[in-house]
Amino acid sequence: MDRGSLLLGRTWHTCTLNITLLSLPGFVLITQTVRALAPTRLRQTGAAIGLSSSVLGAVAYCLHCPEMSPAFWAVWYVLGLAVPTGLGTLLGPRMLRW
């Protein structure tokens, strides 16, 4: 196999989107739970919510992903983790305000 096929695989165009979409239910539930705890560092809390929900989405996606290359995981899964984390960082102050 050449490097390009190891890096891109067959599902590179859907991996990040699928992880992000699969993390949405966890994002909503974790946000509701954490909001009741009255956090004071809203941006960091939002980032933690985004990261933890994206990990749940990545675990759900990896059970069905046909790609087994660590190069693929290092790029596309990390992007899939970064998108909800960034969204949590941006939306945290608005969603967690009390």
Side-chain angles (χ1 to χ4, degrees):
M1 295 183 93
D2 62 340
R3 290 181 192 174
S5 66
L6 288 175
L7 185 62
L8 294 178
R10 296 177 307 203
T11 61
W12 67 271
H13 55 283
T14 60
C15 179
T16 302
L17 178 64
N18 285 336
I19 290 173
T20 302
L21 292 176
L22 288 170
S23 70
L24 289 177
F27 190 86
V28 171
L29 292 173
I30 295 170
T31 300
Q32 289 175 349
T33 303
V34 170
R35 189 168 186 200
L37 299 174
T40 57
R41 295 182 179 177
L42 304 181
R43 228 174 255 293
Q44 288 105 344
T45 306
I49 290 169
L51 183 61
S52 59
S53 67
S54 65
V55 168
L56 293 173
V59 168
Y61 180 71
C62 79
L63 297 173
H64 302 287
C65 181
E67 310 296 341
M68 295 305 292
S69 167
F72 181 87
W73 299 335
V75 174
W76 303 109
Y77 275 65
V78 170
L79 282 174
L81 296 174
V83 170
T85 303
L87 288 174
T89 303
L90 293 174
L91 298 175
R94 289 187 203 119
M95 295 185 327
L96 299 171
R97 192 176 309 141
W98 47 278

